[in-house]
Amino acid sequence: MITVRFTVFGGVSARVDGRVTEFGATRLGALLGVLLVGAGEVVTADELVERVLGDAPPARARAMMRTWLTRLRQTLPGLVERDGAGYVVRVDPLEVDLHLFRHLVRAGRTAEALALVTGEPLSTLDTPWAAQHRAGFAAELLAARLDHVDDRLARDEHAALVPELRALAEQRPLDERVAAQLIEALHGSGRTQEAVRHFEVVKARLADELGAEPSRPLAALHRRLRSASAPRQLPAPPKPFTGRAPELAQLDRAPTGVVVITGTGGVGKTSLAVHWAHRAADRFPDGQLFVNLHGFGPSGAAVSPGDALLRLLSALDVPRAKVPHDLAGQSELLRDALADKRVLMVLDNATDTDQVEPLLPRTPNAHVVITSRTAIKPAHAHSLPLGLLPPDDARELLASRIGHDRARAEPEAVDTVVRRCARLPLALAVAGARAATQPEFPLAALADELADLDAFADDDDVTADLRSVFSHSCKALSPAALRLFRLLGLVPGSDISLAGAASLAGLAVPETEALLAELARANLLDEPETGRFTCHDLLRDYAAELALDSERDEALHRLLDHLALTSVEAGVVFTPSRRRPATPEPATGVVVTRFHTHEEALTWLMSEHPALMAAMPHGTPAQTWLIGWSLADVLDRQAHYRDLLTSQQLALAALEQLDDTDGLGRTLINLGRGLARVGRLDEATAALERAFDVYEGDPAGQAGVLLNIAMLCPDDRIPQALEYTRRGLALFEECGDEYGQANALTGLAWGYGKIGEYGKAIEHAERVMVKWRAMGHVIGQAETWDNLGTAYLGLGEHEKAAEAFTRSAEHFRLGGDRPLEAAAYEELGDTHAAAGDAELAREAWQTSLRLHAEAGLPAERLRAKLQPERQ
């Protein structure tokens, strides 16, 4: 049987029994292609002339056509037949790739259909009819592609589709189907916030360019994503939870506003708040926020209102770039962020009214539940005192932990345990865990053991009763687990990682992991997130009391060694261009974690950020300064400016006790940066000037200080900034520091561009570009292209400026700096506008607008530039 296949995609060809005839850009190929597109249909001679030769054919067009038809019949016998006034190819349409494509699309086999498309149909034929046909097929092809995307989304290929759909969305920025698919792909790959931001970008484009609102399907998708992207920060609900029916009813009835649950430690305030919050979550579709304020932790390191606000704003996806430095501004921003949202906020373990007042949104639909051991009284708050569990509820709580059959078998023992646990949920949980781990152990024996501890109890001191229960549970631990429990009471922060716990104990990680699991089974430890461990602050207090003097100092030193040395590893990977500080050998038993990627380092530094800050006052001078060095860059880039300043002040105090000139100089530079971030410019300048003196005899150190001083100069003092930078360059050249020279030259190119000396800006930019390329420094090249673009734009050389800003944007994208990529596209748009090309300007600004939205940056200036286009 003869097999025949024809192609019109990417050029016309025929395959007959494996023999291929390529027609190329010939009239014969054009003629065959026209007939194959209409396979099975009669095409008149006049139609053939128009489709093959165009609207203005030569005088002998019909004679030429007859000649070509004769040659085609000779080449492919039996293919073309005369039919009345026209011609037809006698083939099965499914033997032609174009018709097979359409058949497969109709059958829902889009992957097979798309695999056939190797180019445009009739790509070698340049006539109006062919162009029109290609345009029509482009719409068919797009529809098939989007159908195939729908199929892949249904197969959960979300992450793989994101790059493809991003590119398609850039090509078709107003196509709502493409927008919806990209939004679905982002959401399905766990990037819901990006999905919501892309919707906002599309909504703005539709309004700016068409004066239209998003379609109903796209708007419905946005509503669904908004719900999916709402913060869900509540801890897991307590299990089991027993009783508290009156208090739950009061929480249900409380009007939207502020409720304060007060009571003694261990009485179950947090359990009540979290249990009710989960039960009421549906009332707050815009999210549930949770912050542990650590008001009564053993370290005394309560969370400051500023830090709590940063956590809340971050959970609400408020960009750090928009967060003010002052507490009042942050409080106002939180109110703005919650203005139209139905949100529940749980503020756990508060110290006093001053700690919580700045966190209260006071918006109509936001509801706040606060827990505290003290009777704090924010304005217009509803108070809910929490007493001991009623006896029946206390018995039920214990029974739910040890098993109801066992409880019914020994009712008197249950009553005794409940009484000696003072009806406190925390004590009952610990005692119940002890009994549950030994089901063969008579409950009466447990009650008798608690009785032996009555000497520790005090009717007026609930904590004393808890201490008795804790003591009994600790007796059931293995010696190694008990030792680890004691040591955990020394931890400066509120939680600890597995590697940190191993270092604290001086044990191998697997052994430590097994001991932590034993403590968790005894209800003496929680693992709120994988790999991080914490416990109730009363348990931590008790553990600290048990710690032996002989083990305290060495254990704490090992933990601080782990934090300091691991933070250096993370800091070096986070900012590879920084020179690694000298580090001591770790103490025996210390685990030092290594990192391979920037993302790994960032994740660790931010996870350990609270622990590192809490550890700094307890470290040796060397440990404290190393932690401060490691935190400087990440706290600056993540906009934790108060912690940046505090960490560098602590590091500086530590270095005053060390003979480390380089470390002192570096810390003074970081301190100057922190002071500048909070607006204390005079103090920042003084710190940098001191750093300059410290680096006397070290030209590279002094040069680095000069560049940092230059960065403090406002726009009206750019000539002074240039002078500092020139001095820094001279010093870097003196000591042969190539990286420093490149930084200085980049600063000079920027400064000359700012003051309009464009020739000098270009001279320095071209000189430094050679250095950045030799070092393979992508961001340095990006900044240099940007400086060249500024200079060329100032000189009116618009084509060169556009090229430079385009290259700058490309390099910033490669370097992963989306805000600066967005800025480069905005400058590219400004360049096109200056050149009088409104369409290209608009295109670049729209790209910049999208990048601003994806990075969560304000874009009012860009919107203003696009506004006139709607007139």
Side-chain angles (χ1 to χ4, degrees):
M1 182 177 179
I2 298 175
T3 58
V4 182
R5 291 289 183 269
F6 296 96
T7 66
V8 296
F9 291 137
V12 178
S13 69
R15 178 188 296 267
V16 180
D17 274 352
R19 185 171 60 85
V20 179
T21 302
E22 297 281 358
F23 288 88
T26 64
R27 294 297 187 185
L28 204 61
L31 174 61
L32 177 59
V34 168
L35 290 168
L36 290 171
V37 167
E41 300 176 2
V42 177
V43 184
T44 68
D46 288 340
E47 287 173 334
L48 282 176
V49 169
E50 179 191 354
R51 295 177 185 183
V52 176
L53 296 175
D55 294 338
R60 299 183 62 256
R62 291 177 68 96
M64 294 166 61
M65 194 62 60
R66 285 193 296 270
T67 301
W68 295 333
L69 283 165
T70 299
R71 291 174 57 192
L72 186 58
R73 289 195 187 102
Q74 293 170 349
T75 305
L76 298 169
L79 179 66
V80 181
E81 295 181 3
R82 184 69 182 262
D83 189 327
Y87 300 88
V88 63
V89 289
R90 298 301 184 186
V91 297
D92 181 346
L94 297 187
E95 294 175 345
V96 182
D97 57 0
L98 172 63
H99 299 291
L100 179 59
F101 167 86
R102 289 168 173 162
H103 168 76
L104 292 171
V105 168
R106 287 193 296 271
R109 296 157 63 183
T110 52
E112 295 173 67
L114 293 170
L116 294 173
V117 182
T118 57
E120 291 185 304
L122 306 176
S123 59
T124 61
L125 180 57
D126 185 18
T127 64
W129 176 85
Q132 183 180 5
H133 185 82
R134 283 193 290 270
F137 179 76
E140 291 183 57
L141 179 60
L142 175 64
R145 284 183 65 188
L146 298 185
D147 287 346
H148 186 49
V149 168
D150 285 337
D151 292 341
R152 294 176 65 189
L153 288 171
R155 295 195 299 268
D156 293 330
E157 297 181 27
H158 300 86
L161 280 166
V162 169
E164 175 185 337
L165 286 170
R166 276 205 188 282
L168 194 55
E170 287 188 13
Q171 297 167 15
R172 304 181 62 81
L174 299 176
D175 189 320
E176 293 190 66
R177 185 180 180 189
V178 173
Q181 290 180 332
L182 176 54
I183 289 168
E184 286 278 16
L186 287 166
H187 170 57
S189 54
R191 297 155 67 177
T192 303
Q193 296 294 349
E194 285 185 61
V196 173
R197 287 196 292 268
H198 186 67
F199 170 85
E200 298 296 338
V201 171
V202 174
K203 181 180 179 181
R205 283 193 185 123
L206 291 170
D208 288 344
E209 300 197 22
L210 303 179
E213 290 293 319
S215 63
R216 287 185 180 181
L218 191 58
L221 174 60
H222 174 245
R223 287 192 296 272
R224 176 163 61 85
L225 289 185
R226 184 176 176 184
S227 175
S229 66
R232 308 280 186 231
Q233 292 191 314
L234 295 176
K239 293 180 180 180
F241 182 87
T242 301
R244 302 300 191 193
E247 291 84 358
L248 288 168
Q250 287 186 60
L251 287 168
D252 286 336
R253 293 194 301 269
T256 301
V258 181
V259 177
V260 182
I261 303 174
T262 57
T264 190
V267 80
K269 301 180 296 296
T270 301
S271 291
L272 173 63
V274 172
H275 176 78
W276 178 82
H278 278 282
R279 197 171 79 166
D282 288 346
R283 292 167 48 186
F284 305 97
D286 291 318
Q288 301 90 46
L289 302 165
F290 182 91
V291 179
N292 186 347
L293 297 172
H294 298 294
F296 296 91
S299 67
V303 176
S304 70
D307 281 344
L309 278 165
L310 287 177
R311 296 179 193 181
L312 292 168
L313 291 168
S314 176
L316 293 167
D317 203 37
V318 175
R320 282 293 174 89
K322 295 180 67 175
V323 178
H325 301 323
D326 62 295
L327 192 64
Q330 292 168 355
S331 294
E332 184 177 354
L333 184 59
L334 179 65
R335 287 192 293 274
D336 290 344
L338 295 177
D340 60 346
K341 289 183 170 64
R342 293 164 61 192
V343 166
L344 172 63
M345 182 187 301
V346 179
L347 302 176
D348 188 37
N349 203 5
T351 305
D352 51 34
T353 302
D354 290 341
Q355 187 186 28
V356 299
E357 192 65 50
L359 313 181
L360 303 180
R362 307 289 189 189
T363 55
N365 298 316
H367 188 58
V368 183
V369 176
I370 302 170
T371 72
S372 180
R373 294 187 202 174
T374 60
I376 64 176
K377 295 180 179 179
H380 309 295
H382 175 73
S383 180
L384 178 56
L386 193 64
L388 301 177
L389 275 173
D392 287 346
D393 289 345
R395 284 190 286 270
E396 174 59 26
L397 177 59
L398 182 62
S400 65
R401 290 188 172 274
I402 65 174
H404 286 82
D405 291 344
R406 189 177 179 187
R408 280 192 292 268
E410 298 185 73
E412 292 182 1
V414 167
D415 288 344
T416 302
V417 172
V418 166
R419 184 176 68 256
R420 288 171 179 164
C421 286
R423 289 185 280 134
L424 282 168
L426 177 61
L428 287 165
V430 173
R434 166 79 172 98
T437 57
Q438 292 183 305
E440 75 286 350
F441 196 67
L443 199 58
L446 169 63
D448 290 342
E449 287 189 6
L450 288 174
D452 291 340
L453 299 170
D454 276 348
F456 294 98
D458 183 339
D459 291 340
D460 297 323
D461 185 356
V462 173
T463 305
D465 290 332
L466 281 171
R467 188 178 289 111
S468 300
V469 176
F470 298 161
S471 173
H472 170 69
S473 291
C474 286
K475 286 183 177 180
L477 296 173
S478 66
L482 177 59
R483 174 177 174 269
L484 179 57
F485 177 67
R486 292 196 304 263
L487 296 179
L488 288 172
L490 306 176
V491 176
S494 61
D495 64 358
I496 192 170
S497 67
L498 173 58
S503 300
L504 181 74
L507 300 172
V509 169
E511 184 180 356
T512 305
E513 191 170 22
L515 297 176
L516 291 169
E518 182 180 346
L519 293 174
R521 287 193 298 272
N523 221 57
L524 297 172
L525 194 67
D526 293 319
E527 188 177 5
E529 59 182 278
T530 304
R532 299 204 71 81
F533 302 87
T534 188
C535 61
H536 192 286
D537 48 22
L538 291 177
L539 281 165
R540 193 180 292 109
D541 280 336
Y542 178 68
E545 292 175 4
L546 297 180
L548 305 177
D549 290 340
S550 60
E551 61 188 4
R552 284 174 177 267
D553 291 344
E554 287 188 3
L556 188 57
H557 182 83
R558 285 194 300 268
L559 173 60
L560 292 167
D561 241 16
H562 159 74
L563 292 172
L565 299 178
T566 301
S567 71
V568 170
E569 297 299 324
V572 168
V573 174
F574 182 75
T575 312
S577 59
R578 285 206 297 174
R579 189 169 70 258
R580 183 191 189 98
T583 53
E585 285 295 315
T588 303
V590 171
V591 178
V592 180
T593 306
R594 313 290 178 183
F595 304 92
H596 300 96
T597 68
H598 177 275
E599 290 72 21
E600 287 178 1
L602 173 61
T603 299
W604 188 90
L605 285 166
M606 295 316 298
S607 295
E608 295 286 356
H609 161 216
L612 292 166
M613 291 298 299
M616 287 188 74
H618 302 278
T620 64
Q623 290 168 336
T624 299
W625 112 256
L626 288 174
I627 293 174
W629 177 89
S630 304
L631 285 173
D633 266 20
V634 73
L635 293 182
D636 189 25
R637 295 188 196 179
Q638 296 293 312
H640 289 281
Y641 296 136
R642 276 190 296 273
D643 279 354
L644 170 63
L645 180 56
T646 299
S647 66
Q648 300 316 301
Q649 289 170 329
L650 290 169
L652 180 61
L655 279 159
E656 303 283 9
Q657 305 173 55
L658 298 172
D659 183 18
D660 188 342
T661 301
D662 182 58
L664 180 61
R666 293 206 234 181
T667 300
L668 284 166
I669 290 174
N670 291 331
L671 176 62
R673 188 169 21 153
L675 289 164
R677 293 300 193 198
V678 298
R680 293 159 61 176
L681 296 181
D682 290 342
E683 294 173 79
T685 301
L688 291 172
E689 288 174 345
R690 183 185 170 195
F692 188 83
D693 293 338
V694 165
Y695 276 126
E696 185 176 359
D698 180 348
Q702 288 192 325
V705 174
L706 290 170
L707 295 192
N708 276 273
I709 293 176
M711 291 169 61
L712 296 182
C713 295
D715 283 355
D716 60 354
R717 290 172 53 196
I718 296 298
Q720 190 174 353
L722 284 168
E723 181 54 33
Y724 284 124
T725 307
R726 278 191 290 266
R727 289 171 58 193
L729 175 60
L731 289 171
F732 280 130
E733 289 174 336
E734 177 185 325
C735 61
D737 188 324
E738 290 291 328
Y739 180 77
Q741 291 175 48
N743 270 322
L745 288 167
T746 302
L748 288 174
W750 175 84
Y752 284 126
K754 290 285 286 186
I755 61 174
E757 293 192 26
Y758 303 123
K760 288 185 177 180
I762 292 171
E763 175 189 340
H764 286 85
E766 289 178 341
R767 178 180 169 191
V768 75
M769 185 67 83
V770 176
K771 295 180 179 292
W772 288 132
R773 283 174 173 163
M775 285 184 266
H777 200 290
V778 175
I779 294 296
Q781 293 176 64
E783 291 173 343
T784 304
W785 279 116
D786 189 78
N787 291 333
L788 284 168
T790 299
Y792 286 132
L793 179 58
L795 293 170
E797 297 185 36
H798 299 131
E799 187 174 342
K800 288 185 177 180
E803 170 66 15
F805 286 131
T806 300
R807 299 287 293 275
S808 174
E810 291 170 353
H811 281 76
F812 279 129
R813 181 168 62 254
L814 289 172
D817 198 319
R818 182 152 291 180
L820 289 179
E821 182 189 354
Y825 271 111
E826 182 177 357
E827 292 169 311
L828 177 59
D830 296 343
T831 302
H832 289 313
D837 194 327
E839 183 177 350
L840 286 179
R842 177 187 183 78
E843 182 181 324
W845 287 333
Q846 289 286 4
T847 301
S848 180
L849 183 65
R850 173 179 62 78
L851 292 167
H852 272 79
E854 290 174 356
L857 298 169
E860 288 76 13
R861 184 179 63 248
L862 267 169
R863 293 189 189 282
K865 290 176 180 179
L866 289 162
Q867 184 87 9
E869 298 298 319
R870 289 190 291 171
Q871 303 301 321

